[in-house]
Amino acid sequence: MFFVDTLEFEGLGNRSYLAGGSAAAVVIDPPRDIDQVIAAAARRGVRIAYVAETHLHNDYVTGGPELARVTGARYLVPAGAHVSFARTPVADGDTVPVDEGLALRAIATPGHTPHHTSYALTEDGRGVAAFTGGSLLIGTVGRPDLVEPRLTEQLARAQHASAHRLADELDDEVPVLPTHGFGSFCSSSQAEGETTTIGAERRTNDALTLDVDTFVTRLLAGLDDVPAYYAHMGPVNAAGPAPVDLTPPRRADAEEIASRLAAGEWVVDLRSRVAFAEGHVAGSFNFEGEGKLAAYLAWLIPWGKPVTLLAETPQQIADAQRELTRVGIDRPAAAATGDPAGWVREGERLASYPRARFADLAGVRRRGDKAVVLDVRRDSERAGGHIEGSVHIPVHELHGRIGEVPDGTVWVHCAGGMRAAIAASLLDAAGRDVVAVDDGLDAAADAGLALTSG
């Protein structure tokens, strides 16, 4: 009998897999922090015999080289991937034995990258699982525009062909187990549901229901912004990432926090947006530890800028540190925990700003009071409908465009509140009067705010 264990990374919207039999296993697309993979194998009582990459990842730093080194596993990497470390190159059709009766077969599925490779786990020669990486996802495919703009249409066409190849070679009941699609910006659209099969995708996935020209047109029209930090992930993965250091960062006192802010470094408060709005260190930014911390902090921060973390508990710091290593932010410069009052120097006060609902904004407009409404959602979201008269600057562009925000009190909103909190903290740090709208966008119309589209 075989098993497949799923390791989920909600902050990045990705999954890794541990699959094998009674004695040995393979790890597919491992995370940077390999300790949890080793622990999963220990729980199963299996040896990690192989570590396999479906492609050079653009959205996170792999733990593949380090996991292979620590466990002695063979490191399988698509032969077409240009890397500068020792590995076992894998070509289409290559098969390796994983355990008794279990084997892993490489299937070339270019599209997400030119060298992308999926893997079929077979039991006694019969396909029992398909690890599709960034190729065939749940209801969609991996985006084809992360490698080189001149290759985007070519790769989109390759995605269509690759999806058809998987559907042609694997039985309908075979589970499809992708790496991306659960919130990852590597997905061309987000997955609907948690599980799928080849048969289900054959019936519903555009790549398998549309002709190639229609599919490519729709795919390219739906592509959204690419996180800025993606530009750094591929080169790091090609060079071979260094091992991570998850030891606690050194403690920062109020004087050091002030000094780091004065030096232009980033001080990031991981507390909830409610707690941050009520009282925070002036100049600090709010990226909730429970939100998509790694993706948005890595997207917004100038690459290489030192970051100091603030949180209520050491565990929150440790959790954030682990998540940030996955996107190449390896060591916080310092950290502080406890009561925010201890993060400011004697005689200084915590800063704050109000939170509100869309009903409050509607009341302000009815009274005729001036209010700058700032929408920080992505372009594709705004096109689906926005508050009439609002200004639009996506949150990932706001840090460099704050000067474009009109004068006056800024009521900032997104679709649910998390990104608005990030934006509100950026504006507050820049000295603007801000109100963070902590509400779902559906409530805007209910409150009587006029919405328009286009």
Side-chain angles (χ1 to χ4, degrees):
M1 290 293 292
F2 72 94
F3 71 86
V4 177
D5 290 342
T6 301
L7 289 77
E8 294 195 49
F9 306 99
E10 293 183 7
L12 292 178
N14 285 332
R15 292 179 176 178
S16 299
Y17 301 93
L18 174 74
S22 60
V26 58
V27 178
I28 308 291
D29 290 344
R32 180 88 180 279
D33 45 326
I34 63 171
D35 55 329
Q36 58 189 312
V37 182
I38 294 172
R43 287 192 295 270
R44 284 284 185 178
V46 295
R47 173 178 61 90
I48 297 175
Y50 297 95
V51 176
E53 303 281 9
T54 57
H55 60 295
L56 285 184
H57 303 283
N58 291 290
D59 62 331
Y60 70 93
V61 180
T62 181
E66 180 66 1
L67 182 59
R69 185 189 69 80
V70 167
T71 63
R74 287 177 63 191
Y75 189 25
L76 310 180
V77 177
H82 297 291
V83 299
S84 55
F85 50 81
R87 87 287 191 204
T88 299
V90 176
D92 184 44
D94 286 353
T95 300
V96 296
V98 177
D99 204 328
E100 185 175 355
L102 282 180
L104 194 72
R105 177 168 62 91
I107 304 173
T109 49
H112 187 47
T113 66
H115 60 265
H116 191 284
T117 300
S118 299
Y119 298 93
L121 184 68
T122 62
E123 183 178 44
D124 298 327
R126 178 179 61 90
V128 292
F131 301 103
T132 55
S135 183
L136 186 65
L137 311 185
I138 300 178
T140 184
V141 295
R143 56 193 299 171
D145 60 329
L146 302 179
V147 177
E148 158 61 50
R150 292 170 297 178
L151 297 178
T152 297
E153 182 173 348
Q154 175 185 330
L155 290 176
R157 292 181 177 276
Q159 279 290 48
H160 187 271
S162 292
H164 279 265
R165 182 178 180 193
L166 289 168
D168 289 344
E169 294 193 12
L170 298 169
D171 295 336
D172 279 356
E173 65 270 18
V174 173
V176 173
L177 303 170
T179 301
H180 304 312
F182 309 96
S184 166
F185 293 107
C186 266
S187 176
S188 58
S189 61
Q190 293 313 310
E192 295 182 5
E194 293 293 314
T195 61
T196 192
T197 63
I198 290 291
E201 294 308 303
R202 193 192 308 277
R203 294 188 299 272
T204 61
N205 195 304
D206 280 358
L208 295 170
T209 61
L210 301 176
D211 66 85
V212 62
D213 290 332
T214 304
F215 167 76
V216 169
T217 298
R218 288 191 185 180
L219 179 62
L220 299 186
L223 294 175
D224 215 329
D225 297 323
V226 178
Y229 74 93
Y230 278 24
H232 305 280
M233 300 297 96
V236 168
N237 286 327
V244 297
D245 178 3
L246 293 177
T247 57
R250 66 186 193 81
R251 182 180 176 277
D253 59 16
E255 194 65 45
E256 181 175 350
I257 292 170
S259 175
R260 290 189 177 279
L261 283 168
E265 297 182 11
W266 278 37
V267 174
V268 172
D269 192 324
L270 303 169
R271 294 176 301 146
S272 75
R273 53 186 182 262
V274 176
F276 183 87
E278 289 177 348
H280 57 270
V281 178
S284 62
F285 301 139
N286 183 213
F287 290 79
E288 292 178 301
E290 298 298 317
K292 294 178 74 68
L293 167 67
Y296 279 103
L297 180 55
W299 195 341
L300 270 68
I301 193 170
W303 199 250
K305 177 82 71 173
V307 59
T308 295
L309 300 179
L310 309 178
E312 292 167 336
T313 68
Q315 186 59 53
Q316 291 168 337
I317 296 291
D319 291 344
Q321 185 178 350
R322 176 179 291 273
E323 189 169 347
L324 292 175
T325 63
R326 297 173 187 155
V327 291
I329 301 176
D330 284 2
R331 291 291 298 168
T337 58
D339 187 338
W343 301 341
V344 293
R345 295 173 294 192
E346 187 174 352
E348 295 180 339
R349 300 177 60 182
L350 294 171
S352 64
Y353 52 75
R355 295 164 50 250
R357 302 289 186 184
F358 280 113
D360 301 311
L361 175 58
V364 167
R365 282 193 161 183
R366 281 194 296 270
R367 292 194 301 271
D369 295 344
K370 183 179 179 182
V372 177
V373 181
L374 177 63
D375 180 349
V376 295
R377 296 173 300 155
R378 295 188 298 277
D379 291 345
S380 60
E381 296 172 282
R382 175 143 175 117
H386 58 269
I387 296 172
E388 194 172 86
S390 60
V391 177
H392 179 227
I393 302 176
V395 67
H396 57 273
E397 299 178 8
L398 181 59
H399 188 248
R401 298 178 59 188
I402 285 179
E404 299 177 28
V405 180
D407 294 337
T409 299
V410 184
W411 291 64
V412 58
H413 80 87
C414 58
M418 181 194 74
R419 289 172 292 175
I422 296 172
S425 72
L426 297 175
L427 290 160
D428 176 74
R432 297 297 304 270
D433 291 330
V434 63
V435 178
V437 179
D438 194 356
D439 208 354
L441 191 59
D442 290 345
D446 295 340
L449 291 167
L451 300 181
T452 186
S453 59

